Each structure stands twice: as structure tokens, then as C-alpha cells.
Amino acid sequence: MSYKKFYFLSLFILLLASVYPLYMGVVTLGNYLEHGFINAADYQKYIIPYTPICIALIASAALMPLIFKLCKSYTLPVVSILGILLFLVFEFGFEQIKVIEGYVEMPLESWQLSLCMATPEVLRSVGQPIYAANNPAFKFHFYLIAIVMILAALNVIHGFGKMIRERNFSRKRPLIAQGVSALLLISLCIFACFTAFYRNGTLHIPSLSALLMAGFFTVFGITAGIYTGSLFYGRSPLFAKTIPALSASLTTFLMYVGELVLMDGVLFIYGQGFFFASLEIIPLSPADLLVILGSGVITYILMHTLIQYSKE
């Protein structure tokens, strides 16, 4: 396959995957421009952050050949920064849209926040949705997830494009792993949008919810870890395996920090007993620590396996 064909194919796939988020954005903007606000009943669920993510990815991928001509070996960092900046610009723009519920007006970001709230602890932390417009706590999740998605997707597109252009396929395996992890992460995010992982509105969540949440946190960390691993692929074991593993655990830990900030210092409880109860010195349970460490261990094993296969 030529680079030109790959370029248009990647754009087509991005556009195809972005049809619904882009449609949501067009409908929302249309209603807002017509009325100056959006009725809560007409709000397109989870327009933020997914519509800005799609816009950022499509624009960045479309500009990648031009960026390559201008920046050469710095293409990936430049296009990654561009993608993140575009996301932040469009995200901030969509957050200014006003949503009307009854006789109450709130920014779109506050309405989005209300969709995330499920426990009294969250309400105590950030207040009622109408008063939470200036509280950035809930955004931490969206921004962190969005940035990891953007970095992973652009890494795959740039990596495969570079391989095709240079006819050097030595980094094929970590890029495939990155693509699989990113696809799994996106699938879990979409699933969460429509199910919220079946949480029951209390801190003590059902076993299925616990499994899905722990799986999401783990996959999220692994995606970030593989991203780091793909950059250091072919280097010493410290860079190719250990640092990616640490990156995975750190990213998972940051998601837990976001949960703690959002929920006033408490977390969802995955089950009964000591293993699921928070420790005295930290608000994390042994189960939470296992998820954090597990994402790093799995990433280390994945990178080790990829490196071993490359030697055969």
C-alpha cells in the first residue's frame, strides 16, 4: 500500500468512526444558534468530550503530511500537540453552550457533570449541577481520557504512515498493540456512555460494575503504557519495558486521583471485606492498588513479549 492510499484510508476510517459524534455536534450547534440555548431533552448525550476529540483527530490526521514536510523527525510531537490544542479549543467552545432544564440555565459542562453524578459524596464535593459550572474537578477524567485517546490514535496513524513511507516495519508490533488497546479503550468508553457500567447510585457497586470499572482503569493505563513503550521500542530494557510499565501504573493512579477529587475523597467500593475496604493511611483499597499495579505489570509483560518476538 502506498502512503497516499494509507493517508486517505486513515481519514476515511476516522470520518466513519466520527459520524455520530460529529452529528451530535452539528445538531447541538444548530439548536444553540437557533435558540441561544439547548433544552435538556434535546441534549445530545456526551457531546463533550467526544465531538471535540473527533474534530481534533480528523484535523490533525489531515494535516499530518504537511506537518511532516515542515517538521520531518518532529512530526509526532508537533501533530500530538496540535491535536491536544484543537481538542481543548473545541472542548472549551462546546462547554460554553447553555442547557435549559425547566426554568434553570446551566453551561453544557455542568449538565455533563450531572450525568456523572451518582452518589451523595459527589454532590457534597462539587455541589448541585447548577452551581458546579466553575468546578473543574469532573473535567479531569474527560481531559485525561481524551488526551490519551488522541495521543494513541495519532501515534498509530503516524507510526504506520512512517513505516509505509520508509518501508521499515520494525515497529509494527508495538503499533498494532497500541491500535488494539486504543480500540478497546474507545469501545469501553462508548459502552460506558450508554450504561455508566450499570452503577446503582451508591458507593457499593454490583460485581459486574466493579469488573467493568476495574477493566476500564486497567485498559486505560495499558494504553498509555504502550504509547510510551512504542516510543522507546528498540531501546534498553529500562526504556522499552520498565518506563512503559511505570507510565501505565501512573496513568491509572491519576484516574483514581480524579475519582477521589470528584467524589470528596472516597471511591466506589468493588465488594465486601478487607480487600475492598480503603486502607487507613490512604483512601485506596487493596483492590484499587491491584488495579494500579496490574496495569503496569500487564504492560511490562506485553512489551517484553513484543520485544522477544522481534528477536525471532
Side-chain angles (χ1 to χ4, degrees):
M1 179 186 293
S2 66
Y3 176 75
K4 184 177 181 180
K5 289 182 179 179
F6 171 79
Y7 170 74
F8 285 109
L9 177 62
S10 61
L11 282 181
F12 174 76
I13 293 173
L14 284 175
L15 286 169
L16 188 64
S18 303
V19 168
Y20 184 60
L22 292 178
Y23 164 76
M24 291 193 300
V26 170
V27 171
T28 300
L29 284 176
N31 288 336
Y32 179 68
L33 292 175
E34 182 178 357
H35 304 291
F37 61 88
I38 300 174
N39 288 314
D42 298 325
Y43 169 69
Q44 304 297 313
K45 192 174 184 181
Y46 287 97
I47 185 175
I48 55 175
Y50 296 108
T51 299
I53 289 175
C54 292
I55 295 172
L57 284 176
I58 292 170
S60 299
L63 292 172
M64 200 171 291
L66 175 61
I67 295 174
F68 173 74
K69 287 183 179 180
L70 297 174
C71 303
K72 301 299 181 183
S73 59
Y74 297 101
T75 299
L76 182 59
V78 171
V79 78
S80 298
I81 293 172
L82 174 64
I84 293 171
L85 290 177
L86 286 173
F87 162 73
L88 293 175
V89 168
F90 282 97
E91 174 73 12
F92 180 77
F94 275 105
E95 286 176 2
Q96 308 313 304
I97 296 175
K98 303 298 181 182
V99 177
I100 300 294
E101 185 176 24
Y103 296 100
V104 178
E105 178 185 286
M106 67 184 79
L108 181 58
E109 57 177 316
S110 294
W111 179 249
Q112 184 74 61
L113 171 60
S114 69
L115 297 178
C116 301
M117 293 179 171
T119 69
E121 288 77 11
V122 175
L123 295 175
R124 284 202 302 269
S125 175
V126 299
Q128 295 295 329
I130 188 59
Y131 301 118
N134 297 319
N135 192 311
F138 84 102
K139 295 182 186 179
F140 186 85
H141 289 75
F142 289 117
Y143 287 10
L144 186 59
I145 293 170
I147 288 172
V148 169
M149 281 185 181
I150 291 169
L151 291 177
L154 292 178
N155 183 38
V156 171
I157 295 171
H158 169 267
F160 276 103
K162 184 178 180 181
M163 285 193 303
I164 292 171
R165 189 169 49 243
E166 298 177 356
R167 312 308 297 177
N168 180 358
F169 298 92
S170 60
R171 296 180 66 245
K172 179 177 66 175
R173 287 187 175 88
L175 288 173
I176 291 175
Q178 178 78 104
V180 171
S181 67
L183 182 61
L184 183 56
L185 175 63
I186 293 170
S187 299
L188 286 171
C189 286
I190 294 172
F191 187 62
C193 286
F194 293 100
T195 66
F197 289 151
Y198 305 109
R199 289 180 298 209
N200 54 11
T202 67
L203 288 178
H204 293 270
I205 58 177
S207 299
L208 178 59
S209 299
L211 182 63
L212 288 170
M213 286 187 63
F216 174 80
F217 276 50
T218 302
V219 171
F220 182 69
I222 291 172
T223 302
I226 293 176
Y227 173 81
T228 306
S230 68
L231 298 180
F232 292 124
Y233 189 72
R235 304 282 185 89
S236 66
L238 171 65
F239 287 97
K241 294 186 285 188
T242 305
I243 291 181
L246 293 175
S247 299
S249 290
L250 176 61
T251 304
T252 306
F253 172 73
L254 289 176
M255 280 296 290
Y256 271 100
V257 171
E259 287 272 319
L260 286 168
V261 173
L262 179 63
M263 298 177 61
D264 199 22
V266 296
L267 294 168
F268 286 109
I269 301 172
Y270 293 159
Q272 302 292 331
F274 166 79
F275 187 69
F276 302 102
S278 62
L279 302 173
E280 293 184 1
I281 55 176
I282 56 175
L284 300 172
S285 70
D288 298 323
L289 294 176
L290 180 62
V291 172
I292 294 171
L293 294 175
S295 64
V297 171
I298 294 172
T299 300
Y300 186 94
I301 293 172
L302 282 172
M303 294 309 303
H304 176 77
T305 303
L306 293 173
I307 292 170
Q308 288 299 113
Y309 272 115
S310 68
K311 295 178 180 179
E312 295 180 357

